[in-house]
Amino acid sequence: MERIETTAIRNLIHNEEYCRKVLPFIKEEYFNDRLEKILFSEISKFVNKYNNLPTKESLSIEINTNKSINEDEYKKITDILSTLNPEPINLDWLVETTETFCKDRAIHNAILGGIQILDGKDKEHTPEFLPELLSEALSVSFDQKIGHDYLLESKERYDFYKRKEERLELDLEFFNKITRGGIPSKTLNICLAGTGVGKTMFMTSIASSILLQGKNVLYITMEMAEERIAERIDANLLNVGMSDLEELPYQMYETKINKLQTKTTGTLIVKEYPTASAHVGHFKNLLSELALKKSFKPDILFIDYLNICASSRMKTMGGAINSYTYVKAIAEELRGLAVEYNLPIVTATQTTRSGFGSSDVGLEDTSESFGLPATADLMFAIISTEELEDLNQLMIKQLKNRYNDPTGKNKKFVIGVDRAKMRLYDVEDTAQTLNVDEPPKENKYEDFNV
């Protein structure tokens, strides 16, 4: 009975369509037999160099020049080659069977590699590498799609136009308007605000509302302790003021938590990292660990906040790297994470010193790096003034919007804020009296009717 390894090698020599489909995905390490490894390696090198299938004669000559092979091995390989004659076979079955073989071998090798790590025989990796090792093995797939063929795939493109993109709706009407129904996956969304204006409040409020939708939420904090973030979410979801949480009897607190659990099937996890010490590599490990240990896959990721993340590609800013390059690198890495894990990321950034007291924040007020707006899919400012504070409101101003036209009638709008309960809410339509046109910065809310 012929083994799949032999069948694969036979068709890599004789079946060009099969070879083109599977050769990019097969690895030498998937073969146990040393002679089969040598054969596959020579086939792969020949195809990559000459863009054509090798003959048995050319393989025999190439293998004969391989100094790592002795005479006995060379004779055995030529005997194998002599049996590899073309035979009719169902291509779809063969491709599918080869993919299964590659997946099985990848997992097998990953398990053996894990044992090597645990036994201390692998000096390059620690046990923390195991989730990534298994994740790579489980993701082995023969993905045949390479790019979008504009002319041949016009029907698929038209269907895409008609297909409703899956989005996470927010509990704020105007945010759903400016995002055309909510935040889509594979996006980076940034709120810009000064210290104490409400960056964390915005994120915890949105996180709370998405949890109530039955979605899974991961909240990464590098500014506050996990318990402090959870405290803000408690205030929001349990409808208890921040100052009253400490005085709340445990029995009443437990009753509220139990009632909350009946309202949602989602999970919210808060993870704390030391300031400026964690980067995308740590976040990937966290996502892998949560998937393995808790079967938890987030629908949205909050990172509080961007400027105090580290970069996985660049060292700290002590050398020649300036803040513009460093912060832009962090933003690019976060957006790459959103694309790789197919989820939306919401984070925040500080305004500059001049933007802190401004009543009309612009892109130029982005702290440390103007590269952030270039990378973000949605960027908006949260603005507070004494007049707005008196009305328990915040002003939102769109700065960049890839989902919609940021210059439309909703370029600015106001939302209500209950700071005691860390909650944002929609206000009456009569409060939306902002004009489309922006006033000069020095005019300070002449277009806002208080």
Side-chain angles (χ1 to χ4, degrees), residues 26 34 71 105 133 163 172 230 237 239 242-243 265 281 378 397 416 422 424 450:
I26 304 178
R34 169 173 158 78
E71 280 191 38
R105 293 306 304 172
L133 186 68
R163 185 167 61 247
L172 297 171
L237 293 177
N239 199 32
M242 288 273 289
S243 59
T265 56
L378 173 68
K397 178 184 176 184
M422 292 289 139
L424 303 176
V450 295

Side-chain angles (χ1 to χ4, degrees), residues 164-385:
K164 188 175 181 181
E165 188 176 14
E166 187 175 343
R167 295 169 182 257
L168 275 179
E169 286 191 23
L170 309 183
D171 63 341
L172 297 171
E173 178 187 357
F174 274 83
F175 271 98
N176 289 328
K177 284 182 179 180
I178 67 173
T179 57
R180 295 170 62 189
I183 304 174
S185 296
K186 301 183 181 181
T187 59
L188 179 63
N189 307 273
I190 302 176
C191 68
L192 170 67
T195 303
V197 172
K199 297 187 297 296
T200 298
M201 180 176 60
F202 174 83
M203 288 191 283
T204 55
S205 181
I206 297 300
S208 301
S209 69
I210 291 175
L211 175 65
L212 288 178
Q213 295 178 36
K215 304 294 185 180
N216 289 337
V217 179
L218 176 58
Y219 196 109
I220 293 174
T221 172
M222 280 165 284
E223 187 176 36
M224 295 183 185
E226 295 171 356
E227 295 79 8
R228 290 303 178 192
I229 296 298
E231 179 184 30
R232 283 156 171 74
I233 294 170
D234 265 345
N236 185 299
L237 293 177
L238 305 185
N239 199 32
V240 179
M242 288 273 289
S243 59
D244 298 326
L245 277 171
E246 293 181 8
E247 307 299 326
L248 191 68
Y250 177 72
Q251 188 175 0
M252 188 178 295
Y253 176 79
E254 186 180 32
T255 301
K256 286 179 175 290
I257 290 291
N258 291 338
K259 186 176 180 181
L260 175 62
Q261 288 178 332
T262 65
K263 292 182 178 180
T264 180
T265 56
T267 301
L268 189 151
I269 292 177
V270 183
K271 173 63 178 174
E272 176 188 359
Y273 289 99
T275 302
S277 68
H279 53 63
V280 162
H282 298 93
F283 304 155
K284 287 182 180 180
N285 288 338
L286 174 63
L287 289 164
S288 299
E289 195 172 359
L290 287 170
L292 286 171
K293 294 181 179 179
K294 289 180 172 282
S295 298
F296 174 88
K297 181 182 178 183
D299 295 297
I300 188 168
L301 171 59
F302 292 87
I303 298 177
D304 192 359
Y305 59 95
L306 186 146
N307 297 67
I308 51 177
C309 290
S311 170
S312 62
R313 296 178 293 172
M314 299 181 180
K315 299 298 181 183
T316 54
M317 296 183 291
I321 300 174
N322 58 40
S323 61
Y324 175 96
T325 305
Y326 193 73
V327 174
K328 186 173 186 293
I330 295 170
E332 291 168 347
E333 291 160 17
L334 290 180
R335 194 176 189 283
L337 180 69
V339 172
E340 182 178 347
Y341 284 84
N342 190 32
L343 51 74
I345 291 179
V346 178
T347 186
T349 187
Q350 293 271 26
T351 58
T352 59
R353 185 179 300 177
S354 62
F356 176 74
S358 174
S359 61
D360 195 20
V361 175
L363 287 175
E364 69 278 5
D365 295 312
T366 306
S367 175
E368 296 184 291
S369 176
F370 196 71
L372 290 185
T375 309
D377 295 283
L378 173 68
M379 191 164 180
F380 57 91
I382 303 177
I383 301 168
S384 178
T385 65

